[in-house]
Amino acid sequence: MPFRCAVLDDFQNVATTLADWSAPGERLDVVSFTDHFGDEDGLAAALADFDCVVTLRERVPFPASLLDRLPRLRLLIASGMRNSVIDYAAATANGVTVCGTESSSTPPVELTWALLLGLARGLVQESTALREGGPWQSTVGADLHGRRLGLLGLGKIGAPVARVGLAFGMEVSAWSQNLTAGRTTEVGVRLAPSKEELLAESDFVSIHLALSDRTRGLLGPAELALLKPTAYLVNTSRAAIVDQDALLAALREGRIAGAGVDVFDVEPLPAGHPMRTAPRLLATPHLGYVSRANYERYYGQAAEGVRAYLAGAPVRVLG
């Protein structure tokens, strides 16, 4: 019987072409699922005959209730080296080894700037008008040079974003709960004395924090009200850091100039979700990590993880 491996959420259908899934001396059957499973019953039925599952990021939870329904499952590989939606204790209890892969911070840095620049220069609106016979120039772009970029978080993604801002000639400040003056000096930016001051003084605010109990709902109605009416908010981190209802209200009422969002409270975003039609919103379907080099790393190391497990020496074990 072959060792069967399921790859979830392979929306572009590239998992089997971007990596070598061969396993010398083993019969390996890799099946790619290009549609998302929206409920646990469907997922449990689809995965019942698989020994291994490869899952992208934290899109699909693996709680005890699901793991208990997959008696054949022996290996779960998640892209990245941190995953908050896998029940590691339940995996252990069910004899499932959980492994990860490396992940590059470069793609989300680049997408952050794609969103920020797209917002600042009205690229979607202007491109659409040009292609569809609309007005020749209808927006007045927002300048970056000399403006204030405020970063919530200055880690492996926030710091490169800051350096790009400096290259554009922006004034860059940063804040997070544990951020120190030493760290901001190292990166070459200003330490904002408080979250509130950073929000009130910035022309562009970009979020680069991990989701935790401390950061969940960090930007609610009161915080969003501090933003200038000419300010733009970019979130390529996690949707739950921003109160989604408060953000929608701010966009609809024109209390901020716009927002660039790559992450949502439900993914994939349902057809009728209000984020699909919100004004002043430049939205992308969680593309932050989606690049060829990153996918080659994810799927290449996932395939390596399968071979290592079959050889009795699992690599990059999590939990």
Side-chain angles (χ1 to χ4, degrees):
M1 180 179 296
F3 187 85
R4 303 197 71 218
C5 181
V7 181
L8 298 180
D9 293 329
D10 183 16
F11 300 128
Q12 299 91 347
N13 196 23
V14 295
T16 57
T17 61
L18 291 180
D20 175 12
W21 290 90
S22 62
E26 300 282 350
R27 291 178 58 201
L28 185 60
D29 181 19
V30 180
V31 177
S32 173
F33 290 93
T34 57
D35 293 323
H36 179 72
F37 292 96
D39 63 86
E40 187 174 300
D41 288 342
L43 193 60
L47 300 180
D49 295 327
F50 286 93
D51 305 281
C52 168
V53 173
V54 176
T55 181
L56 270 179
R57 311 299 289 174
E58 297 170 317
R59 181 171 288 120
V60 179
F62 279 82
S65 57
L66 175 58
L67 291 165
D68 289 346
R69 299 169 70 178
L70 301 174
R72 182 168 168 174
L73 184 64
R74 288 293 173 263
L75 177 63
L76 177 59
I77 301 178
S79 60
M81 292 299 293
R82 178 175 58 193
N83 194 299
S84 63
V85 298
I86 295 174
D87 187 327
Y88 293 103
T92 300
N94 281 278
V96 178
T97 300
V98 182
C99 298
T101 72
E102 296 173 352
S103 178
S104 171
S105 60
T106 299
V109 171
E110 294 173 351
L111 185 71
T112 294
W113 279 102
L115 289 173
L116 195 153
L117 289 165
L119 285 168
R121 301 306 295 267
L123 293 188
V124 173
Q125 181 178 339
E126 295 287 2
S127 177
T128 300
L130 186 146
R131 293 171 63 88
E132 297 181 355
W136 182 265
Q137 297 184 1
S138 61
T139 63
V140 178
D143 296 283
L144 272 60
H145 185 88
R147 298 301 191 267
R148 174 65 59 83
L149 171 64
L151 301 176
L152 293 170
L154 198 63
K156 65 179 183 178
I157 297 175
V161 169
R163 295 186 180 104
V164 175
L166 293 171
F168 273 117
M170 302 183 78
E171 298 177 3
V172 184
S173 60
W175 177 91
S176 67
Q177 286 96 334
N178 295 323
L179 189 59
T180 65
R183 172 59 175 166
T184 54
T185 299
E186 176 187 346
V187 178
V189 304
R190 170 180 173 268
L191 175 63
S194 67
K195 172 185 63 177
E196 290 73 18
E197 182 174 309
L198 180 140
L199 295 171
E201 292 188 350
S202 296
D203 300 294
F204 300 86
V205 174
S206 191
I207 301 170
H208 304 288
L209 297 166
L211 181 62
S212 67
D213 290 340
R214 291 196 307 172
T215 61
R216 188 179 299 274
L218 187 71
L219 300 189
E223 288 77 19
L224 293 176
L226 295 173
L227 292 170
K228 300 175 183 180
T230 55
Y232 296 89
L233 176 68
V234 176
N235 187 8
T236 57
S237 181
R238 290 291 183 269
I241 296 173
V242 182
D243 183 311
Q244 299 296 283
D245 290 336
L247 176 58
L248 282 167
L251 292 169
R252 288 168 178 159
E253 296 166 15
R255 289 188 275 110
I256 60 175
V261 173
D262 187 50
V263 287
F264 305 92
D265 53 359
V266 179
E267 295 184 8
L269 204 59
H273 196 286
M275 279 289 185
R276 286 188 178 267
T277 55
R280 303 177 180 84
L281 178 67
L282 175 54
T284 48
H286 205 153
L287 298 177
Y289 61 89
V290 181
S291 75
R292 177 168 293 275
N294 224 22
Y295 266 27
E296 287 174 346
R297 181 174 300 177
Y298 285 166
Y299 293 127
Q301 292 192 359
E304 177 193 28
V306 171
R307 289 190 290 270
Y309 175 83
L310 292 173
V315 293
R316 293 180 294 275
V317 177
L318 304 179

